[in-house]
Structure formats: structure tokens, C-alpha cells
Amino acid sequence: MRKLAPVLAALALAATACGSDGPVTATVESRTLTVFAAASLTESFGVLGKRFEAQNSGVTVKFSFEGSSALVQKLTQGAKADVFASADQANMDKAAKGDVIDGQPSVFATNRLAIAVGKGNPKGIKGLADLAKDGLTVVVCAPQVPCGSAAKKVQQTSGVTLKPSSEEQDVKSVLAKVRSGDADAGLVYVTDATSAAANVDKVDFPEAAGAINDYPIAVVKDAPQAQLAGLFRDFVLGEEGKKELAKAGFGAP
């Protein structure tokens, strides 16, 4: 019996650990990664977020998609986030000046403008100059928003002056007005017009080449999930990120 005692004790311990419901398994730590990203990244980052979750057990990616200028304002006012992806360098520079990002930002994509019109292009819009014609309801982004800054630059370099009926706070709001029929046309990104191809048509114009936007990404300073934020940034910059962004119509850095 003395020789069997250690064996019996071990068996008893194993039985306690297993219990009636089977062996105890280690629990995976739940972590939430908060990403502030430009509205034009909604579709592509949505896909990449799901893939990142699948490759990192217990991780949930929470996105906040808005105009880049609004996101910078939130960060400088103390909003907590882990990653910031901007639709232009100017707003990332504001974030850096406000001391809310950590390290050097990396450009991961480029984008350019296109004209979104109703299906079938009922107004027969062929280029940028057509948007200045009387009788058209045209919407653009506000000047402080990257797509609005690009629209302003395009007008300056082309000599075409638009008289928009409204200036929206992000590119998705411009697109929504065209989709609903509240506007005849809107200046949006190529990627946004492509993602909404079932509801709008896209008109490319050569002047857009003069206002290409760089998209930088950075880890936010004092990020609650700093290590995970670095992994997500690298994921976006990596091969999977490049392929998904190219599929959505973004240009290479």
C-alpha cells in the first residue's frame, strides 16, 4: 500500500482536474484593439480586421471610421485608441505635432479622386469641367477633410471652380448624397466609387492625378494595446494588407 500511495494520489489529482466535464483548458485572454481610421478605409480595413482577428486568438478589432481631421481632433482631446490611419499626410502631421502618435508613421497606400454619379450617368457628366455647369447639384468634402483638400487642389491646378451645394465631413457622406439622389455628382475617392458600384457610376478625370493622397498609419502614443497595435500596423503594411488594399482600388505607396 505504501508503494501504491503516490500513484493513487496522482490519480486522485488527475480526476479532480478533469472533473465531470472533461479536462480543464487554458483560457485565451480577450483583448480589444481600437483602430481610428479614415472613412475611405471602411471596406478594406473591415476585411483586414476580420483576418487579423482570425490570426490572433482572443483579439477583437474595434474600428472608428470618420474623416481624418475629426479623428485627429478626438486623439488630441484625449480619446483612447491604439492605431491611427489617416487619408492624408497633413492630418497625420497634425497628430504628430499634437504628440499623440508613437514613432514614425508609414505610408501604406495612395488614393485619388473620381466623380460619383447616379447609375447610368443621367446628367451625362464626362469630366471635371462638367461639374461647373449650371443646373447640377454637386457635393464635395469639407476643406479640412483629406478628400476636400484634394478637391480644392484639383480645382486650383485645373482652373475649374465648383459651387458645391454642401461640403461634407467625410467621403462616405458625399457618396450617400449621390446614392440617394440628393446630388447629381460628388467628388469621392476611386475606392469609394468602386465599393458602391451597385448604386453609382464612376467617372475618372485626368486632373485627379495632380492630387494623389498618401495614407500613413501609426501606433498611437500610450496605446492600451501597444504591442498588438504594432502587429496590426505591420499586418496592414504586409503582403495581405497590400493585396486587399489593391483589390479595393488603392494605389501602392
Side-chain angles (χ1 to χ4, degrees), residues 204-216:
D204 292 310
F205 59 100
E207 296 90 342
I212 302 294
N213 277 19
D214 287 333
Y215 278 57

Side-chain angles (χ1 to χ4, degrees), residues 23-162:
V24 176
T25 57
T27 57
V28 177
E29 180 188 1
S30 295
R31 293 174 291 169
T32 298
L33 179 75
T34 303
V35 179
F36 279 14
S40 51
L41 292 166
T42 300
E43 291 80 15
S44 53
F45 265 35
V47 173
L48 291 175
K50 292 298 182 185
R51 291 181 186 169
F52 188 77
E53 289 174 345
Q55 295 177 21
N56 294 272
S57 298
V59 172
T60 299
V61 183
K62 179 183 177 184
F63 289 106
S64 179
F65 293 112
E66 292 186 63
S68 299
S69 57
L71 293 173
V72 171
Q73 185 175 22
K74 288 184 176 182
L75 288 171
T76 55
Q77 290 176 348
K80 292 295 182 183
D82 299 298
V83 177
F84 173 47
S86 174
D88 69 350
Q89 190 62 51
N91 277 290
M92 183 60 79
D93 290 343
K94 289 180 183 177
K97 187 176 180 180
D99 197 29
V100 295
I101 61 168
D102 188 20
Q104 187 69 26
S106 299
V107 175
F108 63 93
T110 60
N111 213 346
R112 58 186 172 83
L113 294 177
I115 303 167
V117 298
K119 290 299 293 182
N121 195 3
K123 299 294 183 177
I125 295 169
K126 296 180 180 179
L128 184 66
D130 290 341
L131 300 185
K133 293 180 179 178
D134 293 335
L136 280 181
T137 302
V138 178
V139 290
V140 299
C141 291
Q144 71 272 18
V145 183
C147 59
S149 177
K152 183 178 179 180
K153 185 175 181 180
V154 162
Q155 291 179 73
Q156 291 172 340
T157 57
S158 67
V160 176
T161 301
L162 305 182

Side-chain angles (χ1 to χ4, degrees), residues 116-126 178 184 196-203:
V117 298
K119 290 299 293 182
N121 195 3
K123 299 294 183 177
I125 295 169
K126 296 180 180 179
V178 177
D184 298 312
N199 305 104
V200 302
D201 283 347
K202 174 172 67 73
V203 178

